[in-house]
Amino acid sequence: QLKEKIKKTVREELPAVFGNGPFLREGVDEKLDLGRKAMKEGAEWILQFEEEERKRTGINTLKVKYNRVAGYFIEMSRNQAKDAPDDYRRTQTLVGNERFTCDRLQELEIEISSAEQTVSEIEEKYFQNLCGEAVAIREHFRRLMMQIAELDFFVSLAEAAYVYKWRRPEITEEGFMEILGGRHPVVEKYLPPGDAFIPNDLLMNEKNRTFSLITGPNMAGKSTYIRQIGILQLLMQIGSFVPAELCRLSIVDCIFTRIGASDNLTRGESTFYVEMLETARILNRCTERSLVIMDEVGRGTSTYDGLSIAWAIVEHLTESDVKRPKVLFATHYHELTVLKDREGVFNLTMEVDDSGGQIVFLHKIREGQADRSYGIHVAKLAGIPEKVISRAEEKLEELESRPENLENSDKSAKKSKTRAVLHSQPGLF
């Protein structure tokens, strides 16, 4: 009923803001139509009145004018003002002109000036009545909105699945993850023209493959890989198809992530402290049914500090006396790869082709471990001056040939870090 009423009374083309244009159709209200006519034809009425008065009075200088102070008025030269008819009433005398009004002009003025207010009041009344009727059935609108939203949600997922060739995942209760040809939907969408996304696989279970330790160069794709696993898990759990050739996943109770670098200086929280806060929440809250994704934990402090923290986290999340969560742990601490002998830990790495004298990141995951991070190569790609790159390569060669230098400098950094931590304790300010 409301739809039919709106259809009969409201115009099809409406202004963006109520009041900035006509709202109701013609013929809905007689006073409204008269008011609109007055607004539309008011200028013509004034011109017609002016022409009639010139003929009636014979005064060729007679004009009808308007200003905001006086409204509409009749103006003529002072020489001809003496010939003004008796029904004219003088309102103002100027240097060369006289101004008058009359009953007919005042009637026209009232009709024209009140027309806009009349139209506005009538349209406002109808608008408020329609709003009241809509509010009275608001629960029907809410149910309709929820139904449309749900349809929109599923149609959007279905469209993405169709356009980007996603596959239906299989939900298993056996506690493992099996992904073949998994892809990151956002990275894949925004690749430059001609570039193809390199799909990757993953196999995890509740026994000997619960902790994936992922090493490899900067820019090789570690972060993309661990993020895409989290996205596939999320898509599966909201009922969507997924960007993979084959996907068999178990339901998780939570997806925990420690990714990126940020600080909260207004609270006195450094980047590393924020990283540790997030890590603490994960370690204290994750269960055997959780998916944990951690990227470069421990990088914000000295080498041995960070390595020690990362090492202890790996041990904690792979303890043999508890059920372990599934963990994807990307790191540049290659020393951690020796933990592959712990139950549940297995090493993955990103493939690199440097056989032809040129380093090429293949963005492909494989079983195994990396021995280099290629950080200087990435710095060169970013545009670091060649002089700095050359010096960095010299220093890297020196440090790799004399590891005691790194150990000594790191011990010094560790002492400095300890002093900084002591001075930042709450209560010591």
Side-chain angles (χ1 to χ4, degrees):
Q1 295 91 331
L2 180 60
K3 181 189 76 171
E4 290 301 319
K5 188 169 185 178
I6 291 174
K7 188 176 180 181
K8 291 178 181 178
T9 59
V10 177
R11 297 168 61 92
E12 289 188 7
E13 295 183 6
L14 294 171
V17 178
F18 179 78
N20 285 1
F23 172 69
L24 297 175
R25 293 178 180 271
E26 300 291 335
V28 172
D29 189 285
E30 185 177 354
K31 289 185 177 180
L32 175 67
D33 293 342
L34 290 174
R36 283 178 176 166
K37 186 177 181 181
M39 290 173 62
K40 184 178 180 181
E41 300 178 2
E44 296 177 6
W45 294 349
I46 295 297
L47 290 174
Q48 185 179 353
F49 171 79
E50 181 183 83
E51 185 178 351
E52 291 173 352
E53 289 302 295
R54 280 182 183 174
K55 290 180 180 179
R56 184 171 76 90
T57 63
I59 300 173
N60 59 4
T61 60
L62 185 150
K63 293 181 180 179
V64 178
K65 295 185 177 182
Y66 172 85
N67 65 42
R68 292 188 177 183
V69 177
Y72 287 98
F73 54 87
I74 301 167
E75 185 175 274
M76 63 187 71
S77 67
R78 294 189 68 177
N79 292 333
Q80 293 186 316
K82 62 182 183 299
D83 299 325
D86 294 339
D87 59 333
Y88 277 23
R89 298 185 297 277
R90 184 179 279 103
T91 59
Q92 191 175 11
T93 299
L94 302 177
V95 174
N97 297 310
E98 295 279 357
R99 290 179 178 177
F100 299 85
T101 187
C102 67
D103 293 342
R104 177 56 183 155
L105 180 60
Q106 288 183 332
E107 289 173 3
L108 287 174
E109 181 175 8
I110 291 171
E111 196 170 351
I112 293 170
S113 61
S114 63
E116 185 174 348
Q117 183 178 355
T118 300
V119 169
S120 176
E121 289 176 352
I122 293 173
E123 292 208 325
E124 175 72 20
K125 181 184 72 173
Y126 276 85
F127 177 72
Q128 293 299 336
N129 288 341
L130 287 172
C131 287
E133 293 183 39
V135 169
I137 56 172
R138 57 187 176 276
E139 292 305 322
H140 295 282
F141 280 114
R142 285 180 178 148
R143 284 197 295 272
L144 178 62
M145 289 157 59
M146 292 302 296
Q147 291 164 0
I148 292 174
E150 188 172 359
L151 282 173
D152 180 57
F153 172 73
F154 286 116
V155 168
S156 297
L157 293 180
E159 182 182 9
Y162 179 79
V163 172
Y164 302 111
K165 298 179 174 58
W166 294 3
R167 299 292 179 86
R168 179 179 178 178
E170 179 184 339
I171 302 174
T172 175
E173 297 182 359
E174 299 177 19
F176 62 81
M177 302 178 71
E178 182 181 6
I179 298 171
L180 298 181
R183 312 188 302 277
H184 193 300
V186 180
V187 174
E188 181 181 40
K189 164 71 176 176
Y190 290 102
L191 281 175
D195 288 0
F197 188 88
I198 307 300
N200 277 299
D201 307 336
L202 176 67
L203 178 62
M204 302 183 79
N205 56 41
E206 291 184 333
K207 296 179 181 178
N208 62 334
R209 293 177 71 88
T210 62
F211 194 103
S212 171
L213 191 65
I214 307 167
T215 53
N218 285 296
M219 298 288 291
K222 298 192 303 298
S223 295
T224 299
Y225 177 70
I226 61 176
R227 284 168 167 82
Q228 82 184 33
I229 301 303
I231 291 175
L232 264 63
Q233 182 73 47
L234 178 63
L235 287 172
M236 182 276 285
Q237 291 203 206
I238 66 172
S240 173
F241 280 33
V242 299
E245 292 302 313
L246 182 146
C247 185
R248 301 175 67 196
L249 298 173
S250 302
I251 300 293
V252 300
D253 58 9
C254 198
I255 301 174
F256 291 99
T257 63
R258 159 78 287 281
I259 292 174
S262 62
D263 55 40
N264 194 339
L265 298 181
T266 58
R267 294 185 180 180
E269 297 173 355
S270 67
T271 302
F272 180 68
Y273 185 69
V274 170
E275 178 185 324
M276 290 297 100
L277 282 176
E278 295 177 358
T279 302
R281 293 190 189 104
I282 294 173
L283 299 181
N284 291 323
R285 292 174 56 191
C286 70
T287 72
E288 69 276 7
R289 296 185 61 239
S290 301
L291 174 61
V292 177
I293 297 173
M294 307 184 88
D295 195 8
E296 304 296 351
V297 172
R299 63 184 167 184
T301 184
S302 66
T303 304
Y304 288 136
D305 268 356
L307 175 58
S308 301
I309 292 171
W311 192 295
I313 289 172
V314 177
E315 290 184 342
H316 176 77
L317 293 173
T318 57
E319 290 178 350
S320 57
D321 58 340
V322 296
K323 290 186 177 181
R324 300 180 290 270
K326 293 180 181 63
V327 184
L328 299 171
F329 194 95
T331 184
H332 281 291
Y333 293 132
H334 300 150
E335 297 87 345
L336 297 176
T337 57
V338 300
L339 293 171
K340 65 182 179 180
D341 295 330
R342 288 182 67 85
E343 185 179 4
V345 178
F346 63 102
N347 287 327
L348 296 177
T349 189
M350 307 303 298
E351 287 190 9
V352 179
D353 182 5
D354 57 1
S355 58
Q358 184 177 4
I359 298 170
V360 178
F361 298 148
L362 303 178
H363 304 296
K364 193 69 178 176
I365 200 85
R366 64 171 175 83
E367 299 278 337
Q369 60 197 58
D371 56 355
R372 294 178 60 192
S373 291
Y374 297 93
I376 296 177
H377 173 71
V378 174
K380 186 175 182 180
L381 290 176
I384 297 295
E386 186 60 37
K387 179 180 179 181
V388 178
I389 297 296
S390 298
R391 177 56 182 150
E393 289 173 341
E394 292 174 4
K395 193 63 180 177
L396 176 63
E397 184 177 353
E398 175 188 336
L399 292 172
E400 288 180 338
S401 62
R402 299 169 58 192
E404 69 276 5
N405 288 349
L406 179 61
E407 182 177 352
N408 292 335
S409 64
D410 194 76
K411 285 180 180 178
S412 175
K414 183 176 181 181
K415 291 178 182 178
S416 175
K417 196 75 173 182
T418 302
R419 287 194 296 270
V421 169
L422 286 174
H423 283 295
S424 66
Q425 291 298 312
L428 295 182
F429 284 104

